[in-house]
């Protein structure tokens, strides 16, 4: 027997995460110049790294022979000042993906279960599966979370509920009042992971303050990232906010030096770069109007999104995707999310959005 056949069955059954195609890879495959390619596939911030973060990164170069501060004091201190939380209510992650995996490592395992929604972020089923736990996928309602059905799906074995707000890849949004009412009804021995990867993109009238709920709900973990609105996807840094006991447990399964020195410094600086955040938000609002206007002109269905991306319906998505790639435009097929007729496009710079909208009719032909 091959040694790989002896790996646990739940590991062998994992279907790997499919990331957006890197620009360099498409350039190699299609013989295109990298500079001619537009990547709107991974919900990255098209503004690039902000000035404050860049300066902070450069200032760390001389320290890189050392290990990072495994405790992440400087970044946690910045988060305390920014959000009024305590040090022991914060866990730092190598991206918020790392937080999700720590949750699975600490709370899931064989004989346990996690509840998540159909079309929700792919890492929830992945992390659940990797832990050997049962995944309970609850059918979506209008492409979003059906909180009533998710409550009903909780079994005695359920230890975790994952919720993405806004959700990726559908962009659907749950109003804060509904989330709060949901929290009040979830059993106290079930951890609710509220994944707010795109919360900085919410319109003023959509905003709500999940951090203020932490005192009342010790079973709430809020997870956030510097990868999206803060423009630091390549550095891999995110954080979880929760009850000190939950945070303590997550820290036990955390790799000792999971966030690198430049990432810690850049995130602490980015947190107070209000100007960059405002420009990112405004660019996103304008880009969303540009793209959805384009879809309307082409008569395409799209799902209203509260994030920095939008899902749109094209029919044979594999074919349309290939024909976009041939024109040097990378978007994201979401067949793996149970949406084989849809594509997801991230909001880019105005010029990038325009390139995409130019290529799309040709791809649909
Ligand atoms: C992008 C994303 C994340 C995690 O991104 P990181 O880069 O690992 O921080 C988490 N949740 C959702 C819903 C996302 O879309």
């Amino acid at each position: 027997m091959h040694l790989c056949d002896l790996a646990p069955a739940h590991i062998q059954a994992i279907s790997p995460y499919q990331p957006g195609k890197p620009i360099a890879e498409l350039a190699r495959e299609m013989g295109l110049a990298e500079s001619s390619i537009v990547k709107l596939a991974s919900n990255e911030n098209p503004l690039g790294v902000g000035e404050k973060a860049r300066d902070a990164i450069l200032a760390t170069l001389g320290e890189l022979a050392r290990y990072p501060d495994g405790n992440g004091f400087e970044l946690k201190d910045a988060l305390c000042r920014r959000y009024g939380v305590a040090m022991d209510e914060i866990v730092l992650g190598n991206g918020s993906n790392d937080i999700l995996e720590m949750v699975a490592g600490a709370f899931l395992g064989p004989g346990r279960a996690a509840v998540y929604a159909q079309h929700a972020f792919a890492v929830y089923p992945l992390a659940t599966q990797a832990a050997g736990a049962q995944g309970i996928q609850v059918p979506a309602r209008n492409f979003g979370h059906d909180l009533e059905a998710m409550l009903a799906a909780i079994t005695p074995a359920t230890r975790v509920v994952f919720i993405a707000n806004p959700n990726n890849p559908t962009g659907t949004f749950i109003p804060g009042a509904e989330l709060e009412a949901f929290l009040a009804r979830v059993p106290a021995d079930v951890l609710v992971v509220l994944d707010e990867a795109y919360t900085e993109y919410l319109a003023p009238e959509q905003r709500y303050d999940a951090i203020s709920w932490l005192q009342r709900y010790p079973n709430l973990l809020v997870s956030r990232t510097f990868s999206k609105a803060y423009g630091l996807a390549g550095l891999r840094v995110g954080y979880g906010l929760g009850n000190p006991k939950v945070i303590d447990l997550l820290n036990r399964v955390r790799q000792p030096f999971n966030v690198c020195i430049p990432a810690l410094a850049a995130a602490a600086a980015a947190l107070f770069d209000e100007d960059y955040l405002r420009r990112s938000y405004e660019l996103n609002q304008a880009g969303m109007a540009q793209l959805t206007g384009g879809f309307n002109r082409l008569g395409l269905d799209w799902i209203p999104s509260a994030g920095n991306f939008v899902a749109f319906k094209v029919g044979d998505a594999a074919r349309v995707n290939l024909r976009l790639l041939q024109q040097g435009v990378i978007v994201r097929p979401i067949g793996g999310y149970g949406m084989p007729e849809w594509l997801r496009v991230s909001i880019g710079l105005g010029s990038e959005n325009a390139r995409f909208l130019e290529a799309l009719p040709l791809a649909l032909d």
Side-chain angles (χ1 to χ4, degrees):
M1 186 172 274
H2 193 270
L3 70 94
C4 291
D5 297 327
L6 296 169
H10 65 265
I11 301 297
Q12 295 190 52
I14 293 174
S15 35
Y17 181 80
Q18 288 174 348
K21 186 182 273 294
I23 290 175
E25 187 179 304
L26 182 64
R28 281 196 303 275
E29 286 176 2
M30 300 272 175
L32 298 168
E34 287 193 18
S35 59
S36 74
I37 293 174
V38 169
K39 184 187 178 206
L40 301 172
S42 302
N43 304 344
E44 295 147 341
N45 192 321
L47 287 178
V49 178
E51 206 174 318
K52 288 203 164 92
R54 182 183 301 269
D55 290 346
I57 293 164
L58 291 176
T60 65
L61 292 183
E63 301 168 41
L64 296 183
R66 305 272 181 208
Y67 279 100
D69 172 5
N71 224 343
F73 178 87
E74 187 200 355
L75 176 53
K76 283 187 189 168
D77 184 57
L79 288 164
C80 290
R81 280 182 283 131
R82 179 74 179 72
Y83 294 116
V85 292
M87 281 286 191
D88 62 0
E89 293 179 304
I90 308 170
V91 60
L92 301 181
N94 190 262
S96 58
N97 197 117
D98 193 22
I99 306 288
L100 302 174
E101 298 212 342
M102 286 180 222
V103 166
F107 290 92
L108 297 175
R112 296 152 195 270
V115 168
Y116 44 78
Q118 180 191 18
H119 313 311
F121 189 44
V123 172
Y124 313 150
L126 261 178
T128 302
Q129 171 89 23
Q134 183 202 357
I136 302 175
Q137 182 180 292
V138 177
R141 204 181 61 195
N142 296 328
F143 295 102
H145 293 68
D146 182 344
L147 293 183
E148 213 44 57
M150 290 181 78
L151 262 181
I154 293 172
T155 62
T158 302
R159 301 273 61 88
V160 178
V161 176
F162 290 106
I163 293 179
N165 200 43
N167 183 45
N168 171 21
T170 58
T172 51
F173 173 70
I174 308 164
E178 287 177 35
L179 277 176
E180 210 181 346
F182 174 79
L183 277 170
R185 293 169 65 198
V186 172
D189 60 0
V190 175
L191 182 71
V192 177
V193 177
L194 181 58
D195 179 349
E196 298 189 326
Y198 301 95
T199 200
E200 297 84 3
Y201 285 113
L202 292 181
E205 68 275 12
Q206 293 175 314
R207 289 188 190 151
Y208 61 93
D209 182 11
I211 296 173
S212 71
W213 302 339
L214 291 173
Q215 294 303 323
R216 256 173 308 139
Y217 300 105
N219 61 331
L220 171 65
L221 183 76
V222 176
S223 118
R224 294 193 180 168
T225 182
F226 288 94
S227 297
K228 308 285 165 51
Y230 287 103
L232 298 172
L235 278 183
R236 315 303 305 126
V237 50
Y239 57 97
L241 304 175
N243 183 272
K245 285 189 174 149
V246 171
I247 297 299
D248 175 59
L249 210 57
L250 296 179
N251 269 317
R252 295 179 201 212
V253 297
R254 183 178 64 83
Q255 281 186 36
F257 304 106
N258 61 332
V259 187
C260 72
I261 293 174
L264 288 168
L271 205 52
F272 295 98
D273 197 342
E274 298 291 342
D275 180 57
Y276 178 85
L277 210 58
R278 187 182 44 74
R279 284 188 292 126
S280 301
Y281 173 79
E282 285 169 4
L283 185 70
N284 195 60
Q285 292 289 105
M288 187 66 83
Q290 186 183 2
L291 289 185
T292 55
F295 295 144
N296 288 343
R297 281 192 295 280
L298 291 168
L300 297 178
D301 279 345
W302 50 276
I303 304 172
S305 170
N308 65 342
F309 54 88
V310 53
F312 59 105
K313 194 172 185 184
V314 294
D316 186 351
R319 176 170 171 278
V320 175
N321 183 50
L322 180 64
R323 300 191 54 169
L324 284 170
L325 289 174
Q326 286 164 342
Q327 298 177 76
V329 175
I330 312 177
V331 298
R332 184 76 74 94
I334 48 178
Y337 287 87
M339 299 173 69
E341 301 196 325
W342 297 74
L343 293 170
R344 186 197 72 191
V345 62
S346 305
I347 311 295
L349 300 172
S351 56
E352 295 173 320
N353 301 333
R355 260 291 304 280
F356 161 73
L357 287 176
E358 231 174 72
L360 186 55
L362 300 171
L364 288 166
D365 239 359

